[in-house]
Amino acid sequence: MTVTTQSPVQYDKILSPIKVGNMTLPNRVILAPMGTEMGTEDGRSTPREAAYYGARARGGTALVLTGVTFLQSDLEPIAPGLARADTDEYTAGLKGIADAVHAQGGLAGLQLTAGLGRNNQYYDEMGMEPVSSSDNTYFFDPSRKCRALTTEEIEIIVKRTGEAARRAYEAGFDVIDLHGHTGYLIDQFMSEVWNRRTDQYGGSPENRARFAVECLQAIKENAPGVTTSFRISVDHRFEGGRTWEETQHLIGALEAGGLDMILCDDGSYEAMDYVFPPYYLGDDCMTSAAARVKSIATIPVGACGNITPANGEKILERGEADLIVIGRGLIADPDLVNKLREGRADDIRPCIRCNQLCTGNAFFGKAIGCAVNPEVGYEAERIITPTNNPKNIVVIGAGPAGLEFARVAGLRGHTVTVYDREERVGGVLLPAATPEFKRELFKMIGWWERQIAMIDNVTIELNHEVKPGGPELEGADVVVVAAGSHPFVPSSIEGAENGVDVLAFHKGVEIGKRVIVCGGGLSGADAALELAQEGHEVTVVEMADEVARDMLMLNRTSLLRELDQHDVTILTGTTVKAIRTDRITAQTAEGTVELEADTVITAFGLKPAKELGEALGAQVLTVGDCVAPRKVGDAVNDAYALAFEI
């Protein structure tokens, strides 16, 4: 088995210390503040959450920042489950986080959120009136207007900020980050698009920054010696939103207010995909934000946005930032920094930027997980230890589920042999990861190859098909079938065999200039984008009223924008009836149409490959797409759980 490795990179910059405020960070890596949803219903931090943060500190992260922590409920509702610091009863839980980080040698930071303003979706549920910096439209119902906060109410929030800062100080946090991005309340005050006030909190950049500065000063007064941080959206990325031309005038006011460090990204609720950038946005998608701030700031500047360690090193070398802020990459691999320090960069588990179980879970009020790291949220429970009863295990299928099962079972001490009839590992992931925008997904295959190659008791046999009754099954204590899935084509479509299956396209089948993609789910839409990027004329035909409707909203936002920018024609409400090599017949609300093409690609979805599992009988275990085709994260997490219990 060939194990892929990356080109050698020295990480002298990223591993070098830096002084920030009253402290010295041992390296330049910061865990980006992201909510975990691991707290209690009433917003208390839990040992589970503390273990999550502690694991990132143990892995060498210089500064571990928590996510959204609300500091007041006087004027806005706080949704159940969201982290809080608005009364003294929350201090003990916060101390648990700080203590867990400190116990692992890290520095701990707490992000304080003054409010969401027009972006809070829970006003009605909690019987409260939407508020903002001015009488802005309510994001979740543009027909409604928010009420502008009075100066007395602003004073209340500033006071609550100081009280929350005191709790953070008493809990032992080293850094307090003020939540100033994403179009939340502080951002609304700083931005002309949302601030039309004529009092001391509106008008000039200094006045629009006044609310933020007063909050910073309240933090300084109530948490003596604590380093202050501020996360800012440099460009809102929507028409009419704040851009660098406006943002640059706010930086000086924040620095003058006593700020010690600034973390820079882009985005807003109107451009949510930039807040949690999916793979469509590519590497370093917001580095320009940090570079611009770095050009005028005198305090340390952090860069965010799909930054790999290798690219982070280059960003620091170019002087575009002082710090590298990583969120989902440190969810995927909490040991990232230690692996860099040990010269093991190739062993860092890649974040595939799918947003499936991290951001995707958080959006629905569920504790975050990870598509490639099933230990997220279970740091205290899922500790792989040797089994007392080692078994001889046969795994059939070297896709994501088979590989993850083999890795975990092998680390536990079982003897594992993986068989696959293809010449390379990866299963359906291998062809699906061919687009440039999915290269991190492709890297995941290489990561499994490398990890398994280091486990002596795991063997992979390629070009080897296992059949019922085959000699490979003799003497096996456990047989695990991870056979994946088959392409699905509706039987109602005449001439379906004339189409090129989407996986065959990814494997290199020659494609003509004009392409029709039948099926607008994720695989079809991604294939359409890849083809369009390569210069093909692409039409997507989808029977539903929208494409990629099974995708997470923020991922879909990026995808639709990219499809539009690459002139992909999308025909919804259009049902394919017949396929020929050079055309399709389809039914629309207006009648029957024929569409010509040089190549027709079919992407109608997948069906589980159940045949082998059923033929082998009830004694086998099944995992992954052969149970039910789902997303890669589901297969990986299910496979880990199965191997952990055997």
Side-chain angles (χ1 to χ4, degrees):
M1 180 176 65
T2 301
V3 178
T4 57
T5 58
Q6 303 168 8
S7 57
V9 176
Q10 298 299 316
Y11 293 94
D12 296 337
K13 288 284 188 182
I14 210 167
L15 294 175
S16 65
I18 182 173
K19 184 170 174 44
V20 180
N22 295 324
M23 65 185 187
T24 298
L25 301 182
N27 59 69
R28 307 297 181 98
V29 178
I30 295 176
L31 174 65
M34 292 179 62
T36 69
E37 304 288 340
M38 293 182 192
T40 63
E41 185 79 358
D42 62 351
R44 299 173 193 267
S45 301
T46 61
R48 179 187 186 189
E49 188 175 35
Y52 163 82
Y53 287 119
R56 275 77 205 155
R58 183 172 63 248
T61 306
L63 172 62
V64 175
L65 283 174
T66 72
V68 184
T69 306
F70 285 82
L71 58 84
Q72 60 92 11
S73 58
D74 303 81
L75 297 157
E76 286 194 40
I78 301 177
L82 295 179
R84 302 174 65 157
D86 55 317
T87 69
D88 289 347
E89 64 185 297
Y90 297 103
T91 304
L94 296 174
K95 186 176 187 300
I97 293 175
D99 287 349
V101 171
H102 292 151
Q104 300 297 337
L107 293 164
L110 182 71
Q111 184 180 67
L112 292 180
T113 306
L116 308 186
R118 65 185 290 269
N119 294 339
N120 194 323
Q121 62 182 308
Y122 294 99
Y123 286 111
D124 291 342
E125 186 175 325
M126 303 292 187
M128 300 179 76
E129 179 184 14
V131 297
S132 184
S133 50
S134 297
D135 60 342
N136 295 302
T137 56
Y138 182 36
F139 181 82
F140 294 98
D141 182 359
S143 67
R144 297 169 61 184
K145 288 290 186 95
C146 300
R147 178 179 62 78
L149 290 166
T150 66
T151 55
E152 292 77 17
E153 289 170 332
I154 294 170
E155 290 173 1
I156 290 173
I157 297 174
V158 172
K159 182 173 183 291
R160 297 288 183 258
T161 303
E163 293 168 351
R166 172 182 56 79
R167 296 179 190 110
Y169 177 75
E170 292 171 349
F173 283 93
D174 309 285
V175 175
I176 296 177
D177 179 77
L178 188 59
H179 201 166
H181 80 146
T182 317
Y184 286 169
L185 185 61
I186 287 176
D187 203 1
Q188 289 162 37
F189 270 85
M190 293 196 303
S191 307
E192 288 181 334
V193 66
W194 295 309
N195 187 337
R196 295 173 298 281
R197 301 177 74 99
T198 56
D199 60 7
Q200 67 267 40
Y201 293 100
S204 69
E206 292 76 19
N207 280 355
R208 283 184 281 112
R210 188 181 303 278
F211 177 39
V213 168
E214 289 180 353
C215 288
L216 284 171
Q217 291 172 342
I219 292 170
K220 291 278 190 180
E221 292 168 5
N222 287 273
V226 166
T227 296
T228 56
S229 171
F230 191 91
R231 193 169 187 188
I232 190 169
S233 293
V234 174
D235 191 318
H236 285 147
R237 297 277 184 169
F238 74 92
E239 187 174 354
R242 198 176 69 234
T243 64
W244 170 242
E245 284 65 30
E246 182 183 351
T247 299
Q248 61 184 317
H249 300 295
L250 301 169
I251 304 300
L254 293 171
E255 283 199 52
L259 186 62
D260 298 311
M261 172 174 65
I262 189 163
L263 312 181
C264 306
D265 60 15
D266 291 335
S268 57
Y269 268 42
E270 286 76 5
M272 184 63 82
D273 54 326
Y274 275 91
V275 181
F276 305 99
Y279 49 72
Y280 301 108
L281 295 184
D283 287 351
D284 310 337
C285 56
M286 294 180 283
T287 302
S288 60
R292 285 168 166 170
V293 173
K294 176 67 177 167
S295 69
I296 63 172
T298 62
I299 57 177
V301 174
C304 311
N306 286 355
I307 301 176
T308 64
N311 287 354
E313 182 73 11
K314 294 174 185 176
I315 290 166
L316 296 176
E317 288 174 351
R318 294 193 300 264
E320 294 175 344
D322 305 290
L323 300 152
I324 302 302
V325 186
I326 300 176
R328 294 164 301 167
L330 280 167
I331 295 176
D333 198 329
D335 298 317
L336 183 151
V337 173
N338 282 348
K339 289 177 179 178
L340 293 179
R341 188 179 293 119
E342 295 162 4
R344 299 170 50 222
D346 288 341
D347 291 326
I348 294 173
R349 183 192 286 108
C351 167
I352 62 175
R353 304 169 184 173
C354 65
N355 286 325
Q356 179 192 350
L357 299 177
C358 51
T359 306
N361 277 8
F363 269 131
F364 295 102
K366 299 192 297 185
I368 64 169
C370 180
V372 297
N373 181 6
E375 293 172 359
V376 171
Y378 300 95
E379 282 79 6
E381 301 104 311
R382 289 186 171 176
I383 300 170
I384 298 176
T385 55
T387 178
N388 293 322
N389 184 23
K391 294 180 172 64
N392 181 28
I393 302 176
V394 168
V395 177
I396 305 172
L403 292 173
E404 180 66 2
F405 178 92
R407 183 186 74 86
V408 177
L411 289 174
R412 295 196 61 228
H414 298 294
T415 298
V416 184
T417 306
V418 183
Y419 295 96
D420 198 286
R421 62 187 177 186
E422 301 294 336
E423 62 182 18
R424 284 202 61 183
V425 304
V428 71
L429 206 60
L430 189 61
T434 56
E436 176 64 16
F437 53 79
K438 284 188 173 181
R439 61 184 175 275
E440 295 304 313
L441 190 60
F442 191 80
K443 288 179 184 178
M444 192 65 202
I445 300 172
W447 182 82
W448 271 311
E449 288 179 312
R450 182 174 175 83
Q451 303 315 301
I452 289 174
M454 293 188 288
I455 306 173
D456 293 337
N457 44 304
V458 178
T459 304
I460 296 181
E461 299 287 348
L462 298 174
N463 296 306
H464 193 129
E465 184 173 2
V466 177
K467 297 181 179 179
E472 305 89 352
L473 305 177
E474 295 178 6
D477 300 310
V478 178
V479 176
V480 176
V481 176
S485 56
H486 302 306
F488 170 74
V489 178
S491 59
S492 59
I493 297 178
E494 178 188 345
E497 68 278 2
N498 293 317
V500 175
D501 177 67
V502 66
L503 292 181
F505 150 64
H506 286 307
K507 290 178 179 179
V509 171
E510 187 174 348
I511 304 297
K513 177 68 173 178
R514 298 172 304 161
V515 183
I516 292 175
V517 179
C518 299
L522 176 57
S523 62
D526 276 355
L529 178 56
E530 181 180 3
L531 285 160
Q533 289 175 338
E534 294 173 353
H536 295 269
E537 298 172 8
V538 186
T539 298
V540 177
V541 177
E542 168 59 42
M543 65 183 298
D545 57 1
E546 57 185 7
V547 298
R549 60 179 180 176
D550 57 339
M551 289 183 70
L552 187 65
M553 173 272 295
L554 62 91
N555 292 16
R556 189 170 180 271
T557 298
S558 277
L559 172 61
L560 294 180
R561 184 175 58 239
E562 289 294 316
L563 291 172
D564 180 63
Q565 291 177 352
H566 287 86
D567 298 320
V568 174
T569 300
I570 297 175
L571 302 178
T572 56
T574 305
T575 303
V576 178
K577 293 297 185 180
I579 297 176
R580 303 289 181 264
T581 55
D582 63 347
R583 70 189 62 218
I584 70 166
T585 303
Q587 186 70 36
T588 70
E590 287 75 32
T592 301
V593 297
E594 285 203 350
L595 304 172
E596 295 183 349
D598 300 313
T599 304
V600 178
I601 291 177
T602 56
F604 293 112
L606 301 168
K607 60 181 180 180
K610 294 184 176 182
E611 303 84 5
L612 183 58
E614 291 174 348
L616 291 176
Q619 76 274 16
V620 304
L621 302 174
T622 55
V623 69
D625 279 3
C626 67
V627 178
R630 293 178 293 163
K631 294 182 171 61
V632 62
D634 300 311
V636 172
N637 278 260
D638 288 352
Y640 181 105
L642 182 62
F644 191 80
E645 295 300 328
I646 287 181

